C-alpha cells in the first residue's frame, strides 16, 4: 500500500507546483509584452565609493616620465609596460597619489577619475607628453544568499551586473524562493544603508533604479510559505519522534524492571 501511495503523492505535488497558480509564482517578467522599455535607455557606470580598491596605471611615450606615478616601479625601472598600482579609497573618498597627493575620487566613474588624475599629473611632464591613465575597480563584488542554489559572494570583473545576472550566478532561486519579494540591501557612499523589496515577476523591474547592482550590494531571497510550513512540520516531526523514542525507552525499562 505504501509503495502505491508514494507515486500518487509525488504526482499530486508536481501537478500543484506546475498548475496555473503555481506558474504565476515562478515565471519572471510576466507582463513584459505590455511594457514600453524605450525609457529604460542608458548605460550603467559604477561610481567609486569609500573602501573601494582601485588599480591605477600611468603610461607615457617616454616610460621614464611615468615612473614617479606608478607605485610598483622603482626609479631605475623604465619598462614600457607599467605595473599596476592599487589604491584603497579612504572613508572621506580620497586616495593618496604619488607626487600630487590626495585626490578626491568618491562619486566619480572610472572615466571621470582618469580625467582628474590626467589633469593633475600633466603639469609635471614634458609638454609633448600626454599620459594615458587606466583605472579599474578590484573590489566590485555582490553577495547573494537565502533561497538560492549557490549562495555566496561574487566578484564582478566587468563592474556591471544586473539583479537577474547576480541571481543566475547564484544558481537561480530554489522552488522555495519568494520571487515577488527579493530584498536588496544597499550602502551608499556616505555609509547609509537602505532596503528595497523587488518583484521578479513584474517586468517593470527592468526600469527600476535597482536593476543594476552597486558594489557590496546584498541580495537576500526569502523562503516562501511552503518552505516555512515544511520547516515547521519537520521540526514538529523531529520533536514527536524524539518524544516517542524516549517514551518507548522508558516503557521498555519499566517492563524489564517489572519482570525482574
Amino acid at each position: 500500500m505504501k509503495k502505491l501511495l508514494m507515486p500518487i503523492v509525488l504526482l499530486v505535488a508536481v501537478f500543484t507546483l506546475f498548475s496555473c497558480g503555481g506558474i504565476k509564482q515562478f515565471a519572471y517578467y510576466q507582463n513584459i509584452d505590455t511594457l514600453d522599455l524605450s525609457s529604460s535607455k542608458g548605460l550603467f557606470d559604477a561610481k567609486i565609493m569609500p573602501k573601494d580598491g582601485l588599480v591605477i596605471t600611468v603610461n607615457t611615450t617616454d616610460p621614464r616620465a611615468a615612473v614617479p606615478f606608478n607605485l610598483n616601479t622603482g626609479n631605475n625601472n623604465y619598462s614600457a609596460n607599467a605595473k599596476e598600482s592599487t589604491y584603497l579609497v579612504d572613508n572621506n573618498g580620497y586616495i593618496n597619489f604619488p607626487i600630487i597627493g590626495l585626490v578626491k575620487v568618491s562619486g566619480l566613474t572610472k572615466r571621470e577619475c582618469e580625467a582628474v588624475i590626467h589633469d593633475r599629473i600633466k603639469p609635471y611632464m614634458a609638454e609633448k607628453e600626454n599620459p594615458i591613465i587606466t583605472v579599474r575597480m578590484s573590489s566590485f563584488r555582490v553577495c547573494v544568499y537565502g533561497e538560492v542554489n549557490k549562495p555566496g559572494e561574487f566578484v564582478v570583473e566587468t563592474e556591471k551586473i544586473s539583479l537577474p545576472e547576480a541571481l543566475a550566478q547564484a544558481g537561480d532561486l530554489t522552488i522555495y524562493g519568494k520571487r515577488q519579494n527579493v530584498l536588496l540591501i544597499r550602502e551608499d557612499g556616505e555609509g547609509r544603508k537602505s532596503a528595497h523589496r523587488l518583484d521578479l515577476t513584474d517586468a517593470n523591474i527592468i526600469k527600476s533604479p535597482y536593476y543594476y547592482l552597486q558594489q557590496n550590494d546584498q541580495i537576500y531571497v526569502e523562503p516562501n510559505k511552503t518552505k516555512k510550513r515544511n520547516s515547521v512540520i519537520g521540526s514538529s516531526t523531529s520533536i514527536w519522534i524524539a518524544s516517542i523514542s524516549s517514551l518507548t525507552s522508558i516503557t521498555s525499562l519499566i517492563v524489564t524492571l517489572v519482570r525482574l
Side-chain angles (χ1 to χ4, degrees):
M1 183 67 178
K2 289 183 178 179
K3 290 183 179 180
L4 181 62
L5 185 60
M6 185 58 69
I8 295 175
V9 171
L10 290 175
L11 185 62
V12 171
V14 171
F15 178 78
T16 303
L17 184 63
F18 293 102
S19 63
C20 292
I23 288 176
K24 279 192 174 182
Q25 296 179 13
F26 294 99
Y28 299 156
Y29 314 130
Q30 292 178 23
N31 55 329
I32 195 165
D33 293 329
T34 63
L35 200 64
D36 179 11
L37 295 177
S38 59
S39 61
S40 65
K41 182 180 178 181
L43 298 176
F44 176 80
D45 245 336
K47 299 291 183 69
I48 298 170
M49 298 174 61
K51 299 305 180 186
D52 277 348
L54 300 180
V55 177
I56 304 177
T57 307
V58 178
N59 285 285
T60 51
T61 307
D62 179 0
R64 291 174 296 183
V67 169
F69 302 99
N70 288 308
L71 290 177
N72 295 330
T73 56
N75 290 331
N76 296 320
N77 185 353
Y78 302 146
S79 170
N81 298 316
K83 295 181 180 179
E84 294 179 337
S85 302
T86 303
Y87 301 82
L88 181 66
V89 183
D90 68 21
N91 286 339
N92 296 316
Y94 289 86
I95 59 172
N96 194 3
F97 205 79
I99 308 298
I100 61 176
L102 294 177
V103 180
K104 183 67 178 284
V105 296
S106 181
L108 303 179
T109 65
K110 288 194 312 175
R111 294 292 170 262
E112 291 169 342
C113 181
E114 290 167 355
V116 168
I117 295 174
H118 175 278
D119 292 345
R120 291 281 298 274
I121 68 175
K122 183 69 173 70
Y124 293 90
M125 298 184 177
E127 188 175 348
K128 65 177 182 179
E129 280 291 357
N130 187 28
I132 297 175
I133 318 300
T134 305
V135 177
R136 67 178 177 85
M137 296 180 188
S138 62
S139 57
F140 197 115
R141 60 195 69 215
V142 296
C143 183
V144 185
Y145 56 101
E147 283 299 327
V148 291
N149 289 297
K150 295 186 297 182
E153 188 178 66
F154 304 97
V155 176
V156 185
E157 295 183 358
T158 60
E159 301 166 16
K160 177 183 177 182
I161 188 170
S162 66
L163 174 61
E165 288 172 327
L167 292 171
Q169 287 203 27
D172 202 2
L173 281 69
T174 69
I175 60 171
Y176 298 113
K178 189 179 288 187
R179 286 152 173 80
Q180 296 86 355
N181 194 21
V182 174
L183 176 63
L184 168 64
I185 300 175
R186 173 168 291 178
E187 181 177 329
D188 66 17
E190 297 181 359
R192 288 186 296 260
K193 281 82 173 176
S194 58
H196 311 276
R197 301 281 181 174
L198 305 171
D199 184 355
L200 298 178
T201 66
D202 184 357
N204 281 290
I205 193 175
I206 296 175
K207 299 191 291 185
S208 165
Y210 309 109
Y211 181 73
Y212 285 109
L213 302 180
Q214 294 181 3
Q215 58 269 51
N216 305 317
D217 276 356
Q218 297 183 40
I219 300 99
Y220 170 65
V221 180
E222 185 180 344
N224 58 23
K225 291 181 180 179
T226 303
K227 178 63 178 286
K228 293 177 181 177
R229 192 183 306 118
N230 289 347
S231 298
V232 171
I233 292 173
S235 300
S236 301
T237 302
S238 298
I239 294 172
W240 275 105
I241 291 174
S243 301
I244 292 171
S245 177
S246 299
L247 185 61
T248 302
S249 299
I250 294 171
T251 304
S252 299
L253 179 60
I254 293 173
V255 170
T256 302
L257 291 173
V258 169
R259 286 179 178 176
L260 291 175

